[in-house]
Amino acid sequence: MTNTLYLDCFAGVSGDMFIGALIDCGLNFDLLKSELKKLGVGGYDLSVSRVNRSGIFASKFDVQLHNGHDHHGHSHEHQHEHHHEHKHEHEHNHEHRSLSEIKRIINSSDLSERVKDRAQQIFQHIGEAEAKIHNVPIETIHFHEVGALDSIIDIVGACIGLDALRIDRIISSPLHVGSGTFTCAHGTYPVPGPATAELLRGVPIYSKDIVGELVTPTGAAIISTLGASYGPLPMMKIELIGYGAGTRTYPKFPNVLRALVGELEEDADQTPMTVTVIEANIDDLNAQVFGHLMEKLLTAGALDVFYTPVQMKKNRPGVLVTLLCKPEDKQLMIEHVFRETTTIGVRYRNEKREVLRRDFVTLETNYGPIKIKVSRAPDGRVMNYAPEFEDCKYAAEKHHVPVREVQTAALNAYIKM
């Protein structure tokens, strides 16, 4: 089962709104706290409360830093002081952490590989944006202590929440960025600020009459790094709804982020009949990167990714990377391949395909409910059926039995139906 998170950003997004919305969807707050402890970073307390934002009750996530600085209690503009190019740091008395140090803290923790991977991608994206704005090498980007600690909690916390709710894909509405100006250590800037604007390159944004900074750099970084696509609410079966509160209150405007978690309708109607096939031959890439690349492409919306061993020039063993995507996602996929691999060229072509209509039935077994995927011909005949592997794996781990046993129980339940 693929869980999709749809983010309704009519009031923008920040790191704390994102985590608040996930908590409201059922993310266990104690689990979030215990997972964050794995980073081995202290100096903060976390709290969550229910607040009213123009008639909508929402979860407000807060980080209190031990130096008496309640980060999320301040207005969002302060988030801009988090990420500064190195030479500005000497104006502060705070310690500062480099991007590589933050990545080391994340990497050396006992968090799951997926959480580490997603969090490091987000920090890398912030570092690249800051380096571009300040026109300096990425190695010189530093996050001063307060900003670094807060960003680490927000970003790693967001990734922990996505993992706990088993979210595989994020789709977002266009982002309402607010309007007016904000003030930070560097001066007065228009909304969205330079870092936020750079991070939102390629993301649909708009500004309306609400004065204030509604999208923060951290919120922009999370969505632009992990978001697979943007647009109106797709056809989906909604299972969870949550609201994460922003810090400020506005008259007659609910300052909340709405999160909808569910399953996209996977009928043939939504399955493209024409797909773009993208290929690249690679013979000089560390094998560890291929696993990361596959996850990145699938998270970004690739329909399929597979690797074939090939013999290349000078008789070198290599890998043929093949991915299928919707034609409109071609450029995004090509960018991911260029960014993550050593290839200097890709090929692409459009191909027709025919797919069976798929639907799901959920059946009770001794190991709990298991979803069966049923494939049908256009005339409705059942051509194939199979239990969803993720459901079987989850049930097998819970009941301490082999996965095959759960699969057999699910198939028997379907046959008897």
Side-chain angles (χ1 to χ4, degrees), residues 355-358 374-384:
V355 290
L356 295 172
R357 188 164 62 81
R358 297 181 300 258
V374 183
S375 307
R376 298 177 190 274
D379 61 7
R381 278 176 305 137
V382 173
M383 306 297 282
N384 200 359

Side-chain angles (χ1 to χ4, degrees), residues 265-272 303 353 355-360 372-377:
E265 290 291 336
E266 287 201 18
D267 274 358
D269 300 347
Q270 274 79 45
T271 306
L303 301 168
R353 69 172 186 171
V355 290
L356 295 172
R357 188 164 62 81
R358 297 181 300 258
D359 51 43
F360 293 91
I372 309 274
K373 185 191 280 185
V374 183
S375 307
R376 298 177 190 274

Side-chain angles (χ1 to χ4, degrees), residues 190-204:
V191 169
T196 304
E198 183 62 38
L199 287 161
L200 293 178
R201 197 185 273 268
V203 175

Side-chain angles (χ1 to χ4, degrees), residues 66-81:
H66 286 176
N67 57 7
H69 193 85
D70 174 358
H71 164 69
H72 291 143
H74 280 312
S75 65
H76 285 157
E77 285 92 337
H78 289 277
Q79 297 220 7
H80 277 284
E81 297 178 22

Side-chain angles (χ1 to χ4, degrees), residues 55-199:
I56 293 179
F57 276 82
S59 291
K60 178 78 183 82
F61 173 74
D62 275 306
V63 181
Q64 291 88 23
L65 300 169
H66 286 176
N67 57 7
H69 193 85
D70 174 358
H71 164 69
H72 291 143
H74 280 312
S75 65
H76 285 157
E77 285 92 337
H78 289 277
Q79 297 220 7
H80 277 284
E81 297 178 22
H82 294 172
H83 323 302
H84 290 326
E85 184 258 311
H86 192 198
K87 68 184 179 205
H88 294 291
E89 288 306 328
H90 299 298
E91 300 160 16
H92 301 284
N93 297 323
H94 298 297
E95 292 293 311
H96 36 265
R97 287 190 168 123
S98 66
L99 179 64
S100 59
E101 193 190 339
I102 289 175
K103 283 181 159 185
R104 188 189 53 71
I105 289 169
I106 294 167
N107 218 14
S108 59
S109 72
D110 290 334
L111 288 161
S112 81
E113 285 308 311
R114 193 163 191 198
V115 169
K116 288 185 195 177
D117 190 46
R118 278 172 160 169
Q120 288 183 89
Q121 280 178 39
I122 295 166
F123 269 109
Q124 178 70 22
H125 196 182
I126 292 172
E128 286 168 4
E130 291 289 336
K132 185 160 188 207
I133 292 162
H134 296 297
N135 196 28
V136 293
I138 194 164
E139 298 75 33
T140 65
I141 294 295
H142 282 62
F143 296 67
H144 73 64
E145 190 70 31
V146 172
L149 178 55
D150 194 75
S151 298
I152 291 168
I153 294 162
D154 275 353
I155 288 167
V156 177
C159 298
I160 289 165
L162 293 171
D163 213 38
L165 294 174
R166 294 162 77 193
I167 286 162
D168 305 293
R169 185 197 290 117
I170 297 176
I171 299 172
S172 169
S173 72
L175 272 63
H176 180 186
V177 295
S179 66
T181 59
F182 68 92
T183 305
C184 72
H186 299 292
T188 301
Y189 290 94
V191 169
T196 304
E198 183 62 38
L199 287 161

Side-chain angles (χ1 to χ4, degrees), residues 247-296:
T247 300
R248 293 194 186 161
T249 53
Y250 295 92
K252 296 185 179 173
F253 177 74
N255 187 18
V256 296
L257 171 68
R258 177 161 63 176
L260 307 169
V261 178
E263 207 178 320
L264 291 191
E265 290 291 336
E266 287 201 18
D267 274 358
D269 300 347
Q270 274 79 45
T271 306
M273 291 293 131
T274 300
V275 292
T276 298
V277 181
I278 300 170
E279 292 182 337
N281 295 48
I282 302 173
D283 65 1
D284 59 348
L285 181 65
N286 182 328
Q288 292 169 313
V289 178
F290 283 105
H292 165 70
L293 173 67
M294 182 179 284
E295 191 171 293
K296 182 97 177 163

